[in-house]
Amino acid sequence: MDKFRAMDDDLDDGDGDGDGDGDSDALGPCVFVIKVARQMMKNNNYLIVDPATHQAVLVDPAWQIDTLHKALANTQASLRGILLTHAHPDHIDLARPLADFYNCPIWMSKQEIAASGFSARQLIAIDETPWRVGAMRIAPILTPGHTPGCVCYLIGDHLFTGDVLFAEGCGICNGTDAAHAMFDSLQRLKFRLRPETRIYPGHTYARPPGQRFADVLSYNMYLHFPDKHSFAAFRLRKGQSARALFDFV
């Protein structure tokens, strides 16, 4: 897949090995990690390209619009839509300007739209009904907890989790009800995902994006609490360091 080879340091493959090739097989999508930053914050944006049609989607684009334009040019991809996992500013920052520039839709769950008030001319409210971009099947999975309408997107064997599931942990929960919802969402992912599914979170702490779910399951303690009450007690424990939230590798 040389035509999808990364051409700069901000565009990386999504298989966690740093080799610079799009993570794909003969028929599956190519996943590129686009690393962006603003001050202390560092995010992973994702460009997913259908190698059969060169149609692509972006996940949670933020901050460095020239980097995203360059990624699309380097991969010779045509942007056909923007997937938003949730409405926090660092995940929606460039959704409107990119949708305007490329004349493409923005997808967000109807629950998140209602809770956040996010609006855009190109916005489409989604449920869990899958749809296709090129040959890629996009399957939304509603995973509330970090926000009321968080969504993970399953594209082939690639899951884009935003701030729901990190390789090392899970997103912040605002109170007991949210933590209980997060527990249920993580249990749902455990039931739904195959061991070989690759996990692509919105932020990187210690391990690179593209970890196999079987490996994440082996070391992520938040996937092993027996019930929502013990999960919430630990997730909401006192003494957690806000500074550590930005201790990215």
Side-chain angles (χ1 to χ4, degrees):
M1 301 302 297
D2 286 346
K3 69 180 67 177
F4 297 117
R5 186 174 296 276
M7 297 182 184
D8 62 66
D9 292 339
D10 293 317
L11 183 63
D12 196 4
D13 70 326
D15 60 7
D17 62 12
D19 62 14
D21 295 318
D23 181 19
S24 70
D25 54 31
L27 297 176
C30 301
V31 177
F32 296 93
V33 182
I34 306 170
K35 301 171 184 178
V36 299
R38 175 174 287 175
Q39 297 176 352
M40 294 178 66
M41 291 293 295
K42 296 183 180 180
N43 282 37
N44 299 321
N45 293 182
Y46 297 102
L47 175 65
I48 307 98
V49 181
D50 172 23
T53 65
H54 296 194
Q55 296 181 44
V57 294
L58 272 170
V59 178
D60 290 352
W63 301 329
Q64 296 172 211
I65 195 165
D66 290 342
T67 299
L68 297 173
H69 286 316
K70 186 176 181 181
L72 284 158
N74 286 351
T75 56
Q76 303 175 23
S78 173
L79 186 62
R80 295 303 176 90
I82 295 168
L83 304 171
L84 299 181
T85 61
H86 63 294
H88 284 166
D90 59 318
H91 292 259
I92 64 172
D93 178 62
L94 292 178
R96 294 186 189 94
L98 285 169
D100 283 337
F101 187 87
Y102 291 100
N103 191 28
C104 68
I106 301 168
W107 295 294
M108 178 185 278
S109 78
K110 60 184 179 182
Q111 293 89 341
E112 189 72 356
I113 293 169
S116 68
F118 178 78
S119 63
R121 178 180 59 83
Q122 313 90 334
L123 184 61
I124 296 175
I126 61 171
D127 52 24
E128 292 188 303
T129 303
W131 72 95
R132 289 188 180 273
V133 171
M136 300 186 297
R137 183 178 185 268
I138 301 172
I141 305 173
L142 188 63
T143 48
H146 182 62
T147 66
C150 272
V151 166
C152 297
Y153 294 97
L154 186 63
I155 306 177
D157 274 332
H158 312 286
L159 185 75
F160 303 90
T161 59
D163 287 356
V164 173
L165 176 64
F166 305 127
E168 310 82 1
C170 69
I172 294 171
C173 302
N174 185 22
T176 301
D177 289 345
H180 289 171
M182 178 70 87
F183 173 82
D184 290 340
S185 293
L186 295 178
Q187 294 302 306
R188 188 177 191 199
L189 292 178
K190 287 171 64 176
F191 178 79
R192 176 79 177 266
L193 300 182
R194 303 197 302 173
E196 61 268 30
T197 300
R198 299 279 185 168
I199 305 301
Y200 299 91
H203 306 281
T204 293
Y205 292 88
R207 294 175 171 87
Q211 300 295 308
R212 294 172 64 251
F213 184 63
D215 297 327
V216 174
L217 191 60
S218 72
Y219 52 66
N220 188 330
M221 66 181 299
Y222 286 95
L223 295 172
H224 294 282
F225 284 89
D227 56 70
K228 65 182 181 181
H229 302 291
S230 58
F231 175 90
F234 186 79
R235 189 66 192 88
L236 301 175
R237 68 194 184 281
K238 296 184 182 300
Q240 297 182 73
S241 170
R243 183 183 181 87
L245 296 176
F246 305 104
D247 186 16
F248 299 99
V249 175

